[in-house]
Amino acid sequence: MTRRQAYNAAALGAALLLAALFPVLVPNGAFETVAIFTLIYIAMASAWNILGGYTGYVSLGHAAFFGVGAYAFTILCKAWNVPAGWVTFLMLLAAGAVAGILAIPFGWIALRARRHTFVVITIAYLFIFQLLAYNLTNLTNGSAGIGAPIPPWMGSSFNIPFFYVALALAVAVIVLSALIRRSRFGLSLLAIRDDEDRALGLGIPTGRLKLTAFVIAAIFIAMAGALYAYYVTFIYPQYAMNPLDDLSMALMAFLGGVGTVAGPVIGALIVEPSQQYFTIAFQSGLNLITYGGLFLVVILFIPRGLWPTIRDALKARAERVRAQSAVEPPAEATRLSAKGGSS
Amino acid sequence: MPLLAVKGVSKAFGGIQALNSCSFSVDQGTVTGLIGPNGSGKTTVFNVITGYERPDAGEVLYQDQAIHGQSPRAVFQRGIGRTFQSPRIFPRLTLIENLKIPVRASGGPQTPEDDVNRWLEFVGLDRYGTAQAGSLSYGQRKLLEFAMMLAANPQLVLLDEPAGGVNPAMMETMARLITEMNRRGVTFLIVEHNMGFVMSLCQHVVVMHRGQVIASGPPAVVQEDQAVLDAYLGD
Amino acid sequence: MSLLLDGIISGILTGGVYALMASGLTLVFGVLEIINVAQGSLIVAGAFLSYALLTYLHINIFLGLILTMPFMFLVGYVVDRVFVRRLRVDRVMMSIMVTYGVALVIDGILTMIFSTSYVHLQTAALNQSFPLAGMRVPMIYVYVFLMSVVFLLALYALLYRTTFGQALRATAQNRNAARLIGIDVDQMSSITFGICAALAAAGGMGYGAISSFHPNSQFDLISRVLVIIVLGGMGNIGGALVASLLMLVIEDVVSTVWLPNWSTLIFFIVLAMTLALRPQGLFGSKEARQQ
């Protein structure tokens, strides 16, 4: 282990410890709620990034799978008479499985198209699922909404189980995202992003790989949806299948740095708490203006996102320091390596 | 038995007949040149061979097996690599990552790290291993694309204008690398406009004009061919 | 049988409004090579402008277009100048992000001014109707349809009968080539975006006259209009017209003859099935897929 790796591991460990101790350090129900939503969004944005960031297939429809997860959780809990409690969290896996199976045919159809056509098809998916949620009243109870099992925890202990499950889900997705980024699979996804036809011509089974990414994103977003359903205990079509969620996932990834492991995490850490704050602090309407304005500023002024911008600035500084101490570095090599790296 | 045989291949785009019953073959172990005036169908032939275009008629045989109409991926996995006129590398990946991309179904799970470095060294880009490929110059991109082909250990490599748009020093490097790989047993089919490059490198030259092969043979013979002169001078 | 006819007639009449909204969007894609996701909110903004003029100044909604269309043209022009023109790399994807941001801001402004309750453009014409094939057709549907036809003809004349239209079509074919022959491509783009927004104002008025709306209607609208232009082949105005009529007729026929609740779902399922078979859309060229 190099010194840099040791430093990174220590920083990650400290962050995780701090996150785990959050309910102890800040024993405040309102803050805990924000923290739980933030963790749910970290999981969602990171899962979205495996498809949208690594392969470059920007989906504006994966919020549909959030809803699928929420409904699958609620409906299956009812159908199987799952008791409310810790064991109910196991149903997240069932919700993920349902979404994963549904995502295969839907992903296959959407991925036949590229770029903007893909985006439009995914937007249509969101509305297809939303309409299904409204209309399949036998299953979903339509616009009247449907209730999930009522969690047995009371008062100040209510948030705690949800916090740790959300944390576990977020960490699981981040770890998966990092493992994929380092794997041959991840490298192939990045190659698809840069030049799909060329990747195919170099022996990469592009169709299979991008469908896998589509399904992975759907599974974890659905698990986040299931957790959401259990936490809020009652779901409606317009909130479970919300077009704003699609944009939130994209915004978080783009703000932090799309296609990087850390980017969506940083993005979600900034966007979700501030969005919650705007909703409380500003009148309805003004919160949308603020949110939209933030979105515009990010896209126009830091199109690469915060994390790559900061990282490159740090790297460039490190290069300068090294260059000052070294004797006559090869000028071209310095220029090239300063731009390098995208892990 | 030739390594590659193109037999009576035709291909039309709209009303334009890009290939009109085009036939030629490439023998194992040779460096074969494919020349002809602009628009004579050379790149279309490449696209048909490598699965990017489906021929309207005719067949492409590789080691006596039909490969036309297969996907680019299937063709690549049979051991046919190609480069593009304008190099197609993965600009946002590092050079090392770029070299890890090409995979042959038969050639093991992943190109080992040692191999990647060896190929980078081979084309003289080892200094830039961790740089993003998008920061390379045009000529360097051509070298990287060439190395990517070689990393997959192909038997036949199709090069689309390896000397186009690069400086004389780079051109010499490219010629040296082709000769070296040919010595190691790789067969080459090269589309190139630079006649000096073609004539010095190729043992065999195929000349195309208006989608057809009008001459083929050793460079010295082809250069004297009346039909070739007519085609280049315009008629 | 009369139900079927009913569905077809109302589908054609409402299809005209969608054709108007879709033509602007597909024109923007053709000329700017971007997707304007803010079109839904521009349509709603246009509807609210007509609503404000009607409610507070008692201006007829058709006459009001004389004010709302130039205003929305300016809005579109400014949106392109300030936001879209800055996009240089990966324009299609980035434009979706940027125009979505614009849509949120417009949505927020409308919510602040008009709150989030449903409104409807109440007009005298709304209450009149005339008999046709055994049903009663509200006059407003006919007026709105005629208005759509007039604006679509005007758009056609602008594109195919003026030198400006020639330059615009040249830009749509090849931005770089257009630049080389001295066309101010940036200016062309801003004007096109303005035209798109002006058509959204007219389309929004038409939409508001035949159905109720609120700021959040933009999501429903943009998804439908996007579906139409994808189905018609991105950038293909004729394709957008055919796709508008086709989709609305299908939807209205399903709605009147069969199941009202499922009609919109049919709309999206037709899209998904069509694109599964033809990823380039009904009238798109094969190349569109390669981009």
Side-chain angles (χ1 to χ4, degrees):
Chain A
M1 207 192 269
T2 66
R3 234 177 76 191
R4 186 164 157 253
Q5 279 171 324
Y7 174 76
N8 285 347
L12 281 176
L16 197 59
L17 188 70
L18 207 65
L21 288 176
F22 182 84
V24 183
L25 298 173
V26 190
N28 173 317
F31 282 118
E32 280 164 9
T33 302
V34 173
I36 289 166
F37 276 115
T38 305
L39 287 169
I40 287 176
Y41 273 102
I42 287 176
M44 286 165 70
S46 295
W48 181 92
N49 185 55
I50 292 171
L51 175 68
Y54 293 171
T55 71
Y57 276 82
V58 170
S59 166
L60 293 183
H62 265 63
F65 295 110
F66 181 85
V68 166
Y71 275 103
F73 171 83
T74 312
I75 294 165
L76 289 178
C77 278
K78 222 164 232 159
W80 297 344
N81 289 317
V82 180
W86 279 95
V87 67
T88 324
F89 287 118
L90 284 177
M91 292 301 290
L92 264 60
L93 299 173
V98 170
I101 291 164
L102 272 177
I104 294 170
F106 280 92
W108 182 79
I109 290 173
L111 289 165
R112 284 173 56 86
R114 296 213 181 152
R115 300 189 52 79
H116 47 269
T117 311
F118 174 83
V119 179
V120 172
I121 294 175
T122 58
I123 292 174
Y125 281 176
L126 179 84
F127 289 94
I128 286 177
F129 280 95
Q130 198 188 60
L131 286 162
L132 283 173
Y134 273 118
N135 289 337
L136 291 173
T137 39
N138 289 339
L139 275 175
T140 63
N141 203 24
S143 54
I146 184 172
I150 309 289
W153 306 288
M154 290 295 159
S156 62
S157 68
F158 182 90
N159 278 330
I160 306 300
F162 290 103
F163 178 85
Y164 286 105
V165 173
L167 182 63
L169 182 64
V171 170
V173 181
I174 295 166
V175 168
L176 180 71
S177 171
L179 288 176
I180 288 176
R181 179 62 184 82
R182 261 152 233 189
S183 70
R184 152 138 232 109
F185 169 54
L187 194 57
S188 304
L189 294 183
L190 294 173
I192 289 172
R193 176 193 67 186
D194 274 9
D195 188 341
E196 181 167 346
D197 288 326
R198 186 58 170 143
L200 187 67
L202 288 172
I204 291 175
T206 52
R208 207 166 63 219
L209 297 188
K210 57 191 190 179
L211 182 58
T212 308
F214 189 97
V215 172
I216 290 175
I219 289 173
F220 285 96
I221 290 169
M223 288 172 72
L227 184 58
Y228 160 87
Y230 193 26
Y231 184 57
V232 302
T233 70
F234 212 86
I235 52 172
Y236 299 93
Q238 67 269 41
Y239 299 120
M241 319 261 187
N242 189 345
L244 266 178
D245 278 339
D246 274 319
L247 267 297
S248 296
M249 287 190 278
L251 171 65
M252 288 164 185
F254 273 88
L255 172 67
V258 70
T260 63
V261 177
V265 181
I266 294 170
L269 280 172
I270 295 170
V271 172
E272 185 53 22
S274 48
Q275 201 185 6
Q276 296 266 358
Y277 173 75
F278 294 152
T279 311
I280 302 163
F282 301 137
Q283 72 182 97
S284 124
L286 196 56
N287 63 339
L288 284 175
I289 298 172
T290 319
Y291 191 49
L294 182 75
F295 200 111
L296 285 172
V297 169
V298 169
I299 301 291
L300 293 176
F301 296 105
I302 29 172
R304 293 171 61 214
L306 286 171
W307 174 239
T309 309
I310 294 169
R311 193 189 51 196
D312 284 3
L314 289 176
K315 237 181 214 166
R317 224 190 84 197
E319 284 297 327
R320 268 206 311 280
V321 173
R322 203 176 307 159
Q324 275 165 5
S325 56
V327 191
E328 261 195 277
E332 199 185 9
T334 311
R335 183 180 66 82
L336 280 163
S337 57
K339 285 186 191 168
S342 66
S343 57
Chain B
M1 174 188 95
L3 181 64
L4 178 81
V6 174
K7 289 187 174 169
V9 168
S10 296
K11 176 80 193 172
F13 299 102
I16 299 158
Q17 193 71 34
L19 293 177
N20 189 2
S21 191
C22 170
S23 301
F24 66 90
S25 60
V26 177
D27 288 327
Q28 177 111 38
T30 59
V31 178
T32 302
L34 184 61
I35 63 171
N38 277 329
S40 56
K42 303 176 302 268
T43 297
T44 308
V45 169
F46 267 28
N47 287 343
V48 168
I49 296 171
T50 51
Y52 285 85
E53 303 279 3
R54 191 180 286 270
D56 299 335
E59 52 182 6
V60 180
L61 301 180
Y62 178 67
Q63 294 174 330
D64 255 4
Q65 286 180 312
I67 58 163
H68 53 277
Q70 294 189 353
S71 77
R73 177 167 174 253
V75 173
F76 181 79
Q77 288 182 330
R78 282 175 178 265
I80 303 177
R82 79 171 283 189
T83 65
F84 288 80
Q85 203 172 335
S86 168
R88 284 173 74 172
I89 42 111
F90 301 104
R92 285 181 282 182
L93 299 183
T94 67
L95 271 64
I96 290 171
E97 287 173 330
N98 264 276
L99 275 165
K100 284 182 177 174
I101 295 292
V103 268
R104 283 266 306 272
S106 52
Q110 186 164 351
T111 317
E113 199 86 16
D114 287 355
D115 272 14
V116 167
N117 290 327
R118 203 159 49 77
W119 287 118
L120 277 179
E121 216 167 299
F122 182 69
V123 297
L125 293 173
D126 45 323
R127 278 198 306 168
Y128 309 129
T130 56
Q132 275 189 315
S135 64
L136 294 178
S137 73
Y138 187 78
Q140 287 172 325
R141 288 180 192 211
K142 289 213 157 186
L143 290 175
L144 174 62
E145 194 185 35
F146 188 61
M148 284 162 70
M149 283 300 99
L150 300 179
N153 190 26
Q155 285 168 295
L156 172 64
V157 168
L158 279 57
L159 301 177
D160 202 342
E161 300 206 17
V166 302
N167 64 44
M170 195 74 86
M171 212 183 291
E172 224 163 89
T173 308
M174 195 55 99
R176 185 173 53 74
L177 296 176
I178 293 169
T179 311
E180 170 62 22
M181 287 315 295
N182 183 239
R183 203 179 52 75
R184 295 190 199 173
V186 178
T187 306
F188 284 90
L189 176 63
I190 301 175
V191 163
E192 184 51 61
H193 278 295
N194 185 315
M195 283 306 136
F197 191 84
V198 172
M199 295 305 167
S200 68
L201 213 58
C202 301
Q203 297 104 28
H204 190 85
V205 176
V206 176
V207 189
M208 285 185 68
H209 183 47
R210 293 184 175 162
Q212 283 177 313
V213 173
I214 53 167
S216 71
V221 178
V222 167
Q223 263 173 317
E224 304 299 323
D225 194 297
Q226 194 54 44
V228 175
L229 293 174
D230 287 347
Y232 270 94
L233 295 173
D235 50 340
Chain C
M1 190 58 217
S2 101
L3 274 180
L4 182 67
L5 201 62
D6 186 351
I8 293 173
I9 290 170
S10 75
I12 290 173
L13 292 179
T14 44
V17 181
Y18 279 90
L20 200 55
M21 305 191 266
S23 57
L25 193 58
T26 211
L27 187 66
V28 161
F29 179 79
V31 175
L32 280 79
E33 289 166 2
I34 65 142
I35 296 179
N36 169 23
V37 184
Q39 181 78 342
S41 62
L42 291 171
I43 292 166
V44 176
F48 270 111
L49 282 177
S50 289
Y51 173 77
L53 290 180
L54 177 72
T55 314
Y56 303 112
L57 301 173
H58 306 290
I59 295 176
N60 177 290
I61 52 174
F62 290 96
L63 273 180
L65 290 180
I66 296 170
L67 295 173
T68 63
M69 288 180 75
F71 178 76
M72 290 302 287
F73 176 90
L74 270 181
V75 171
Y77 189 93
V78 169
V79 166
D80 180 71
R81 272 308 278 269
V82 177
F83 300 113
V84 179
R85 192 181 288 185
R86 292 163 159 270
L87 304 175
R88 293 285 172 217
V89 288
D90 203 4
R91 280 172 60 92
V92 176
M93 295 322 302
M94 294 312 264
S95 70
I96 292 176
M97 299 284 150
V98 163
T99 51
Y100 193 77
V102 171
L104 284 182
V105 172
I106 293 175
D107 191 353
I109 294 170
L110 293 176
T111 306
M112 281 184 78
I113 300 173
F114 298 102
S115 88
T116 52
S117 52
Y118 275 98
V119 295
H120 196 244
L121 296 177
Q122 295 289 344
T123 58
L126 197 66
N127 301 322
Q128 301 165 10
S129 61
F130 69 97
L132 180 72
M135 59 183 269
R136 294 202 71 78
V137 180
M139 283 309 288
I140 187 72
Y141 277 71
V142 178
Y143 291 145
V144 163
F145 179 75
L146 290 177
M147 173 203 73
S148 303
V149 171
V150 167
F151 280 120
L152 287 170
L153 286 175
L155 181 66
Y156 177 84
L158 178 73
L159 287 177
Y160 290 92
R161 294 283 181 271
T162 64
T163 43
F164 170 78
Q166 211 171 15
L168 202 73
R169 284 183 293 129
T171 314
Q173 256 179 24
N174 189 331
R175 282 171 75 84
N176 289 330
R179 203 167 267 135
L180 288 177
I181 58 170
I183 295 173
D184 185 347
V185 171
D186 281 342
Q187 183 68 4
M188 231 13 120
S189 302
S190 295
I191 292 174
T192 304
F193 210 108
I195 292 173
C196 172
L199 290 172
M205 188 279 279
Y207 177 77
I210 59 181
S211 49
S212 53
F213 58 93
H214 71 147
N216 258 325
S217 304
Q218 63 145 320
F219 290 116
D220 187 41
L221 278 167
I222 188 61
S223 55
R224 282 155 168 270
V225 177
L226 273 176
V227 163
I228 285 167
I229 72 163
V230 169
L231 205 58
M234 306 282 289
N236 184 334
I237 293 181
L241 300 188
V242 175
S244 301
L245 295 177
L246 196 66
M247 292 311 300
L248 268 296
V249 167
I250 289 174
E251 193 177 351
D252 283 356
V253 167
V254 171
S255 171
T256 51
V257 179
W258 193 30
L259 297 159
N261 285 344
W262 295 91
S263 57
T264 313
L265 193 63
I266 300 291
F267 191 94
F268 289 115
I269 287 173
V270 167
L271 168 88
M273 276 167 40
T274 309
L275 291 176
L277 298 172
R278 278 182 69 86
Q280 69 273 31
L282 285 177
F283 307 99
S285 59
K286 192 97 182 148
E287 279 74 19
R289 197 191 160 196
Q290 307 293 333
Q291 287 177 0

